[in-house]
Coordinates of all heavy atoms in Angstrom, one line a residue:
S1 N 0.8 -1.2 0.0 CA 0.0 0.0 0.0 C 0.9 1.2 0.0 O 2.0 1.3 0.4 CB -0.9 0.0 1.2 OG -0.1 0.2 2.4
A2 N 0.3 2.3 -0.5 CA 0.9 3.6 -0.5 C 0.1 4.6 0.4 O 0.2 5.8 0.2 CB 1.1 4.2 -1.9
D3 N -0.6 4.0 1.3 CA -1.5 4.8 2.2 C -0.6 5.6 3.2 O 0.4 5.1 3.7 CB -2.5 4.0 3.0 CG -3.4 3.3 2.1 OD1 -3.7 3.9 1.0 OD2 -3.9 2.3 2.4
L4 N -0.9 6.9 3.4 CA -0.1 7.7 4.4 C -1.0 8.2 5.5 O -2.3 8.4 5.3 CB 0.5 8.9 3.6 CG 1.4 8.5 2.5 CD1 1.9 9.7 1.8 CD2 2.6 7.7 3.0
E5 N -0.5 8.5 6.6 CA -1.2 9.1 7.7 C -1.6 10.6 7.3 O -0.9 11.2 6.5 CB -0.4 9.1 9.0 CG -0.2 7.7 9.4 CD 0.7 7.7 10.7 OE1 1.0 8.8 11.2 OE2 1.0 6.6 11.2
A6 N -2.6 11.1 7.9 CA -3.0 12.4 7.6 C -2.1 13.5 8.0 O -1.9 14.5 7.3 CB -4.4 12.7 8.2
E7 N -1.4 13.3 9.1 CA -0.6 14.4 9.7 C 0.5 14.9 8.7 O 0.7 16.1 8.6 CB 0.0 13.9 11.0 CG -1.0 13.8 12.2 CD -1.8 12.6 12.1 OE1 -1.6 11.8 11.2 OE2 -2.7 12.4 12.9
P8 N 1.2 14.0 8.1 CA 2.3 14.5 7.2 C 1.9 15.5 6.1 O 2.7 16.2 5.5 CB 3.0 13.3 6.7 CG 2.6 12.2 7.6 CD 1.3 12.5 8.1
W9 N 0.6 15.4 5.8 CA 0.1 16.2 4.6 C -0.4 17.6 5.1 O -0.8 18.4 4.3 CB -1.0 15.5 3.9 CG -0.6 14.1 3.4 CD1 -0.8 12.9 3.9 CD2 0.2 13.9 2.2 NE1 -0.2 11.9 3.2 CE2 0.4 12.5 2.1 CE3 0.7 14.7 1.2 CZ2 1.1 11.9 1.1 CZ3 1.4 14.1 0.2 CH2 1.6 12.7 0.1
V10 N -0.4 17.8 6.4 CA -0.8 19.1 6.9 C 0.2 20.2 6.7 O 1.3 20.0 7.3 CB -1.3 19.0 8.4 CG1 -1.7 20.4 8.8 CG2 -2.4 18.0 8.5
N11 N -0.1 21.2 5.9 CA 0.9 22.2 5.6 C 0.8 23.3 6.7 O -0.3 23.8 6.9 CB 0.7 22.8 4.2 CG 1.9 23.6 3.8 OD1 2.5 24.3 4.6 ND2 2.1 23.6 2.5
P12 N 1.9 23.6 7.4 CA 1.7 24.7 8.4 C 1.7 26.1 7.9 O 1.6 27.0 8.7 CB 3.0 24.4 9.2 CG 4.0 24.0 8.2 CD 3.2 23.1 7.3
S13 N 1.7 26.3 6.6 CA 1.7 27.6 6.0 C 0.6 28.5 6.5 O 0.7 29.7 6.8 CB 1.7 27.6 4.5 OG 2.9 27.0 4.1
P14 N -0.7 28.0 6.5 CA -1.8 28.9 6.9 C -1.6 29.4 8.3 O -1.9 30.6 8.6 CB -3.0 28.0 6.8 CG -2.7 27.0 5.8 CD -1.2 26.7 6.0
E15 N -1.1 28.5 9.2 CA -0.9 29.0 10.6 C 0.2 30.1 10.7 O 0.1 31.0 11.4 CB -0.5 27.8 11.4 CG -0.2 28.1 12.9 CD 0.2 26.9 13.7 OE1 0.0 25.8 13.2 OE2 0.6 27.1 14.8
I16 N 1.2 29.8 9.8 CA 2.3 30.8 9.8 C 1.8 32.1 9.2 O 2.2 33.2 9.7 CB 3.5 30.3 9.0 CG1 4.1 29.1 9.6 CG2 4.6 31.3 8.8 CD1 5.1 28.3 8.8
T17 N 1.0 32.1 8.2 CA 0.5 33.3 7.6 C -0.4 34.0 8.6 O -0.3 35.3 8.7 CB -0.4 32.9 6.4 OG1 0.4 32.2 5.4 CG2 -0.9 34.2 5.7
K18 N -1.2 33.3 9.3 CA -2.0 33.9 10.4 C -1.1 34.6 11.4 O -1.4 35.7 11.9 CB -2.9 32.9 11.1 CG -3.8 33.5 12.2 CD -4.7 32.4 12.8 CE -5.6 33.0 13.8 NZ -4.9 33.5 14.9
H19 N 0.0 34.0 11.7 CA 0.9 34.5 12.7 C 1.5 35.8 12.1 O 1.7 36.8 12.8 CB 2.1 33.6 13.0 CG 3.0 34.0 14.1 ND1 2.6 33.9 15.4 CD2 4.2 34.6 14.1 CE1 3.6 34.4 16.2 NE2 4.6 34.8 15.4
F20 N 1.8 35.8 10.8 CA 2.3 37.0 10.1 C 1.3 38.2 10.3 O 1.6 39.3 10.7 CB 2.5 36.8 8.6 CG 3.7 36.0 8.3 CD1 3.7 35.4 7.1 CD2 4.7 35.9 9.1 CE1 4.8 34.6 6.7 CE2 5.8 35.1 8.8 CZ 5.9 34.5 7.6
D21 N 0.0 37.9 10.1 CA -1.0 38.9 10.2 C -1.1 39.5 11.6 O -1.2 40.7 11.9 CB -2.4 38.3 9.8 CG -2.4 38.0 8.3 OD1 -1.6 38.5 7.6 OD2 -3.3 37.2 8.0
D22 N -1.0 38.5 12.6 CA -1.1 38.9 14.0 C 0.1 39.8 14.4 O -0.1 40.9 15.1 CB -1.2 37.7 14.9 CG -2.4 36.9 14.8 OD1 -3.4 37.5 14.2 OD2 -2.4 35.7 15.2
V23 N 1.3 39.4 13.9 CA 2.5 40.1 14.2 C 2.4 41.5 13.5 O 2.8 42.6 14.1 CB 3.7 39.4 13.8 CG1 5.0 40.3 13.9 CG2 3.9 38.1 14.7
G24 N 2.0 41.5 12.3 CA 1.8 42.8 11.5 C 0.9 43.8 12.2 O 1.2 45.0 12.3
K25 N -0.2 43.2 12.7 CA -1.1 44.1 13.4 C -0.5 44.7 14.7 O -0.6 45.8 15.1 CB -2.4 43.4 13.8 CG -3.3 43.0 12.5 CD -4.5 42.2 12.9 CE -5.3 41.8 11.7 NZ -6.5 41.0 12.1
Q26 N 0.2 43.8 15.4 CA 0.9 44.2 16.6 C 1.9 45.2 16.3 O 2.1 46.2 17.1 CB 1.5 43.0 17.3 CG 2.1 43.2 18.7 CD 1.2 43.8 19.7 OE1 0.0 43.3 19.8 NE2 1.5 44.8 20.4
L27 N 2.7 45.0 15.3 CA 3.8 45.9 14.9 C 3.2 47.3 14.5 O 3.8 48.3 14.9 CB 4.7 45.3 13.8 CG 5.6 44.2 14.2 CD1 6.2 43.6 12.9 CD2 6.6 44.6 15.2
T28 N 2.1 47.2 13.8 CA 1.5 48.5 13.4 C 1.0 49.3 14.6 O 1.2 50.5 14.7 CB 0.3 48.2 12.5 OG1 0.7 47.5 11.3 CG2 -0.4 49.5 12.1
A29 N 0.4 48.5 15.6 CA 0.0 49.2 16.8 C 1.2 49.7 17.6 O 1.1 50.9 18.1 CB -0.8 48.2 17.7
D30 N 2.3 49.0 17.7 CA 3.5 49.4 18.4 C 4.1 50.7 17.7 O 4.5 51.6 18.4 CB 4.5 48.3 18.4 CG 4.1 47.1 19.4 OD1 3.1 47.3 20.1 OD2 4.7 46.0 19.2
L31 N 4.1 50.6 16.4 CA 4.7 51.8 15.7 C 3.8 53.1 15.9 O 4.3 54.2 16.1 CB 4.8 51.5 14.2 CG 5.9 50.5 13.8 CD1 5.8 50.2 12.3 CD2 7.3 51.1 14.1

């Protein structure tokens, strides 16, 4: 079989992008 578990296919990019947005808002507020 070539079946794979679900976890390895989860791309962390959306979470990182959300973190970018949060940091950007925080930086804007700090500035």
Side-chain angles (χ1 to χ4, degrees):
S1 70
D3 296 333
L4 302 175
E5 298 178 358
E7 288 77 3
W9 300 99
V10 178
N11 193 325
S13 296
E15 181 180 350
I16 296 173
T17 302
K18 181 178 181 299
H19 187 78
F20 286 159
D21 294 340
D22 294 340
V23 172
K25 292 176 181 178
Q26 183 62 43
L27 289 174
T28 301
D30 291 345
L31 287 174

